[in-house]
Amino acid sequence: MRAPVEWLRELIEFKLSPENLAFRLTMAGLEVEAIERLGDDTVLEVNVTPNRPDCLSILGIAREVSALLDVPLKFPDFRIKEENGESAVLVEIIDEDLCYRYAGRNIHGVTMGDSPEWMKKRLEKCGMRPINNIVDITNYVLLEMGHPLHAFDWDRLKGSRIMVARSRPGGKITTLDGTERSLPDDALLICDAERPVAVAGVMGGADSEVTEETKNVFLESAYFFPASIRRTSKALGLKTESSYRFERGTDIELLETALDRAASLMEEIAGGKVSKRVDVYPRPRKAKSINVRYEKVNKILGASIADGEMVDIARRLGLNVSRDSSSFIVTPPSFRTDLQREIDVIEEIARLYGYEKIPVAIPRVPITKEAGDTLHRHVSTISEFFRFAGFTEAINYSFMDLRMLDVLNIGSGDLRRGTVILRNPLNEAESHLRTMLIPSLIQNLVYNVSMGSRDVRLFEISRVFISKGEALPDELHHVGALYVREKAPSLWKEEVPDFYVVKGVIEALMNELKVDNYAFPRSSEPFLHPGKSCDITVADRMIGFIGVLHPDVIGKLDLKLTKPEILVIEINLEELLPLVSEKAKYVSIPKYPHIDRDIALIVDEAIPASAIIDQMRAYPSDLIEGVSIFDFYKGKNIPEGKKSLAFTLRYRAKDRTLTDSEIESLHDSLVKYITGKTGGIVRGV
Amino acid sequence: MADINDIKKSFVDDLNSAGTSADLQRLRVKYLGKKGLITSQLKLLSTVPPEEKPVFGKLLNEIRSFIESEIDAKDLHIKDLERGRIIASGAIDVTLPGKYTLPGRPHPISAVLREMIDIFVSMGFDIEVGPEVELDFYNFEALNIPKDHPARDMQDTFYITDDVILRTQTSPVQVRTMERSKPPLKFISPGKVYRCDADVTHSPMFHQVEGLMVDTGISFSDLKGVLEVFVHRMFSKETPVRFRPSFFPFTEPSAEVDIGCILCGGRGCRICKGSGWLEVLGAGMVHPRVFEMVGYDPEVYTGFAFGVGVERITMLKYAIDDIRMFYENDIRFLRQF
């Protein structure tokens, strides 16, 4: 709401500078967002919160200033010259649930023309464009008193009748902006004897609007049910000064004053003759009383405001007050539709008393008995872990471009096709919720590479959304990561293939989280290189994947990397976190020494190392404590299609020191067993 | 019988020219060995007249100990030198850089979010979470924002269906938590929220930390205290805080919380639009209607709620002027935090 200070001064006297006035209003809840100098006047841009429709006018703001400064309000002064004789119009409210009151006056014999300069100026200062004297007067009164009015061309209304009724299915109207609109169901309409002539409270119809030729005007001032106006305005996508005020709630008592004010201006400015008022008001508003307990006010605020001061604040606000020993009763005026219960009045007292005067305290509340949130703690651990493994944290929108699922070859039966779809997305690429994180990370890669980065290591911990047809989707915390590094000369050489670097991060993470029983079987994810990818399983449940992006996928990306090998990881934390053990298990330190023996095997390339280790571990002897792999070699001296793997076996007995000869025979038979199982041969013997 | 003094003299010469442990070993053999010069003299002792024996024997023993200790001392010295040489030859260039994996950086939003969470947790607040795809009921209706209420204009909403939305605030977590627990309650609900809006200062997704405290006797002055502590710990003890009336449907009285502009120190600048103040938090006493909806008696319990935007605080903290930077995930940006 734009409020010219000059106009405000007409309704209230104050000595404050515009800046100080702005500060006082702001600190009382009417935030002045900007102070604009316009010629010799200053306009305050006031942000009026939705609970205060009474402040959407100069009068309303003046009333606030009056309460703040305890200075009386000067109500706009006018006198109406009525003609004798009844109004020619017959008003009928059909749907009384949507229209509580409908009043009007006929103004005959108006001379159309421009408005006087003072009026045009005020309209312009408030951001309105002057049109003609009749329309300008309705707008002027809207700004002055906050009540929307509508002027019809009386001669274009049929049958001297006004009916206020709900729309019927299939109805249409051309509004005065020249647009033909289909009327939504349940929209409240103003109709003449034949057709709708206005969408009530929103916009008038084109074929009853006031024009240069207008001679006779029918001026409407009504109260419409706020929610109905809002629904209609939303459905039509049409927001007007009028609908904005009606949907917030107008002053049902003031509407006759606004009507008379406008009619008197039409008489004065356009030379019209004003008829008597028609006023259909089937169920007049009953003023509601609110009991306010002195003690409650101070209890809620933590203040010690004197009883008398509370009553005085209520009085300054224009509330009717009667005092009692432990409470006072207020009756809010018709413009304060927001004051419904005790707490509303408490807020008013706090507001005018001044928030800054309420003391500062520190609450005392019992400590919490339950354990805190473990999810937050685990997420922090994992996040720190990825960071120290060299990954920088990304945060992406939860939105996804559905086409990314096509890029990743995600099939139609895949759960990740179960996207949540936004009805009103900002754009097509942000119209679905993510079902996985790596599409976003891949897009981050494309962006960063286009910006010249060649070292992109990112991770993100966020929710993905899988719809299974219920009202709400499953929301699953995932961690996703992406690793791309173009080899650059470096001081300390380390020739570890990227896949194993990334896999090592996950193995170390499992160790950190004390999760065991995990494995890395080959993956069949459609977007991963089939030979360079694995699933991550824990106790045979798949919880995620690690792998190199499939060359076909990379081919579909706009990526300018010379030899891109893009590693991606994604893990469902909902599956992983329940497996995290919170407690370390103490095992007594072995009393007897171990003996290590090595074995190098040449086996078929196709045999996974993990299978050989599993077989060694499964060998029936309780003296085998552990198996680790320490060498992998392919190439010179190894036949084509074969590879060499070298293992260290650690032997230990729980109850004695093992002898060399004892281990010799056990190791020999294990070697025999494993060469038999794998069809391999012992290398270098 | 050779002159013992000659032997001693020749030993001293030999010792001076010995440079290695091996030289010393040779000297040991030459003088003290089975056929060594001193040993041979000892063998001659029987031929010495009885009255001269004690003097001669004593002399021989003295020279023998002298040779032994001199050789031992020089041996020790030589070994020290050798160890020194070995250690010196093992020196490396300690100025070459070490090998490490450069740690990644936390996203600035995460870092600030964690800072906020730590402050509230240290004040005794618990953490509660809830769904991001939320029922209209929890996001609006249970928070005293019925359908067709103009307060809905305060937040542009992404709709999934008529009744399902992307939460526009983390307040629905407050309702869900109150529904399943009884007071006293004190928790924060951090998380992502969504609004259908995008420009330099608005992002369709952003982060909030909302807090709730409910018990008997919680007042507006408690709210002032808790938020003042938060601001002082988040920014500095000197940062001024002011509360001014505002409107949120789920709190009453409601407040906007401003802090003295951290960029200009309150003198007025572009960021604070010359006012010297920055609006950083929304807060208020929980509306009795919200308590009634979850079955709490507003005559018994009172409480306060607040909400703070993480992006807003992060932008102020690092003087970032475009909110979209946070979601481009440009490595060159992310590495700065």
Side-chain angles (χ1 to χ4, degrees), chain B residues 13-259:
Chain B
D13 291 345
D14 283 349
L15 189 68
N16 283 339
S17 55
T20 66
S21 286
D23 293 346
L24 290 178
Q25 190 51 38
R26 271 192 295 280
L27 285 193
R28 220 182 274 277
V29 173
K30 180 176 172 187
Y31 291 94
L32 305 175
K34 270 182 191 159
K35 289 172 188 166
L37 294 174
I38 298 297
T39 321
S40 322
Q41 289 296 319
L42 279 169
K43 278 177 191 160
L44 291 177
L45 200 57
S46 52
T47 65
V48 174
E51 65 278 16
E52 286 177 29
K53 260 186 194 170
V55 175
F56 190 65
K58 193 180 171 226
L59 211 59
L60 269 176
N61 274 328
E62 270 173 12
I63 190 159
R64 183 196 157 101
S65 326
F66 169 76
I67 291 173
E68 268 178 352
S69 67
E70 284 297 297
I71 290 178
D72 284 351
K74 181 135 190 188
D75 196 27
L76 216 57
H77 177 67
I78 287 173
K79 281 192 172 131
D80 272 355
L81 287 179
E82 272 171 14
R83 221 178 12 254
R85 261 196 305 278
I86 290 165
I87 288 169
S89 71
I92 56 168
D93 181 356
V94 297
T95 68
L96 284 174
K99 177 177 171 53
Y100 62 101
T101 301
L102 185 68
R105 304 302 311 161
H107 194 284
I109 295 297
S110 277
V112 171
L113 185 62
R114 188 160 315 156
E115 210 178 326
M116 290 181 182
I117 290 173
D118 286 349
I119 291 171
F120 284 114
V121 168
S122 76
M123 281 198 263
F125 283 81
D126 301 319
I127 301 172
E128 296 287 347
V129 293
E132 290 173 26
V133 179
E134 185 53 286
L135 297 174
D136 183 275
F137 174 80
Y138 285 110
N139 194 79
F140 290 123
E141 283 174 59
L143 290 162
N144 199 25
I145 318 172
K147 284 207 155 101
D148 304 316
H149 193 282
R152 290 206 175 198
D153 280 355
M154 294 167 91
Q155 301 170 356
D156 286 322
T157 310
F158 281 116
Y159 281 89
I160 315 290
T161 67
D162 282 346
D163 302 316
V164 180
I165 56 151
L166 294 187
R167 68 177 180 194
T168 58
Q169 46 197 357
T170 62
S171 321
V173 180
Q174 301 183 0
V175 180
R176 284 176 177 272
T177 308
M178 284 193 281
E179 264 186 356
R180 61 164 193 267
S181 3
K182 292 281 151 236
L185 286 178
K186 49 179 181 6
F187 63 86
I188 52 166
S189 49
K192 293 183 172 129
V193 299
Y194 302 85
R195 298 199 191 156
C196 193
D197 202 355
D199 60 36
V200 186
T201 52
H202 296 91
S203 172
M205 182 188 89
F206 60 99
H207 296 75
Q208 267 191 347
V209 174
E210 290 197 15
L212 180 72
M213 186 176 281
V214 182
D215 200 358
T216 54
I218 299 289
S219 71
F220 192 86
S221 64
D222 294 324
L223 167 65
K224 284 184 79 172
V226 165
L227 292 186
E228 211 170 88
V229 169
F230 168 71
V231 167
H232 287 166
R233 284 167 66 171
M234 191 74 208
F235 296 99
S236 80
K237 265 202 146 54
E238 288 70 42
T239 308
V241 185
R242 80 175 187 190
F243 290 74
R244 62 186 160 79
S246 188
F247 168 74
F248 305 106
F250 37 90
T251 53
E252 191 162 20
S254 298
E256 293 281 2
V257 185
D258 298 339
I259 61 168

Side-chain angles (χ1 to χ4, degrees), chain A residues 497-500 503 520-535 546-552 565-567 605-608 632 634 643:
Chain A
D498 289 347
F499 177 86
Y500 297 105
K503 188 184 174 202
F520 301 98
R522 279 208 187 277
S523 177
S524 52
E525 288 288 11
F527 46 86
L528 296 179
H529 188 304
K532 291 183 180 174
S533 60
C534 58
D535 288 342
I546 308 172
V548 172
L549 267 193
H550 198 290
D552 292 352
E565 187 157 87
I566 300 162
L567 264 299
E605 224 177 302
I607 298 176
F632 160 71
K634 245 166 52 166
K643 64 185 170 187

Side-chain angles (χ1 to χ4, degrees), chain A residues 498-529:
Chain A
D498 289 347
F499 177 86
Y500 297 105
V501 172
V502 169
K503 188 184 174 202
V505 171
I506 299 307
E507 288 167 317
L509 175 65
M510 294 297 189
N511 188 279
E512 174 68 21
L513 298 176
K514 301 197 182 74
V515 172
D516 40 39
N517 208 4
Y518 58 86
F520 301 98
R522 279 208 187 277
S523 177
S524 52
E525 288 288 11
F527 46 86
L528 296 179
H529 188 304

